[in-house]
Amino acid sequence: MAVHDDCKLKFLELKAKRNHRFIVFKIDEKIQQVTVEKLGSPTASYQDFTDSLPANECRYAVFDFDFTTNENCQKSKIFFFAWAPDTSRVRSKMLYASSKDRFKRELDGIQVELQATDPGEMSLDIVKARAL
């Protein structure tokens, strides 16, 4: 599975320049390559992010999550999401599962990984708990 240069470029922009709040990645099965499907503006909310994931198709995504620690410090962590809804095609789930680790290695700086098969598994409460 190839990774389009744009994936790494946009991820670096998110990590270093904070130009994006989130990035949704899609595997183009015809050309066997991971591409950028959607970019979230720096002002986008977590709700905007979850709304941008398709209900019946797998995706990879990263989200730059800002939070306040119990010690009242402002921090941010970059979350990697492996989104594989139960309703997506078996072939698609297998393709995403088998290429996830290699793709994740291309994105240097991911701090937390979450796998989700329905929106409840990536609720804001779960993300906050994983961030702390």
Side-chain angles (χ1 to χ4, degrees):
M1 184 67 57
V3 177
H4 194 280
D5 289 341
D6 214 27
C7 295
K8 292 179 253 187
L9 191 71
K10 297 299 180 200
F11 180 75
L12 281 171
E13 288 176 5
L14 175 141
K15 187 173 86 167
K17 299 181 188 159
R18 303 191 72 153
N19 290 2
H20 316 293
R21 173 64 60 199
F22 65 85
I23 309 169
V24 178
F25 302 99
K26 176 182 184 176
I27 293 179
D28 187 327
E29 292 185 32
K30 287 186 187 78
I31 57 172
Q32 292 289 300
Q33 189 174 53
V34 182
T35 58
V36 172
E37 182 179 53
K38 183 169 188 191
L39 295 168
S41 73
T43 57
S45 69
Y46 188 71
Q47 185 68 49
D48 297 332
F49 165 63
T50 55
D51 289 348
S52 70
L53 294 171
N56 301 317
E57 291 178 44
C58 299
R59 292 292 186 271
Y60 298 130
V62 289
F63 186 84
D64 187 7
F65 182 65
D66 293 324
F67 63 99
T68 307
T69 65
N70 296 336
E71 293 80 40
N72 217 17
C73 293
Q74 283 294 111
K75 287 197 167 183
S76 85
K77 282 194 177 169
I78 298 175
F79 277 74
F80 178 86
F81 291 89
W83 171 245
D86 291 329
T87 51
S88 57
R89 295 186 345 249
V90 172
R91 176 177 155 66
S92 178
K93 284 192 252 193
M94 287 170 56
L95 185 62
Y96 275 81
S98 63
S99 49
K100 176 183 66 121
D101 289 334
R102 185 182 175 285
F103 177 61
K104 225 174 78 180
R105 275 196 302 272
E106 299 280 341
L107 307 178
D108 184 38
I110 288 169
Q111 293 154 304
V112 185
E113 180 185 332
L114 267 180
Q115 296 195 27
T117 57
D118 72 71
E121 292 177 10
M122 50 187 282
S123 70
L124 193 53
D125 292 339
I126 290 172
V127 171
K128 280 181 185 167
R130 292 290 301 273
L132 292 173

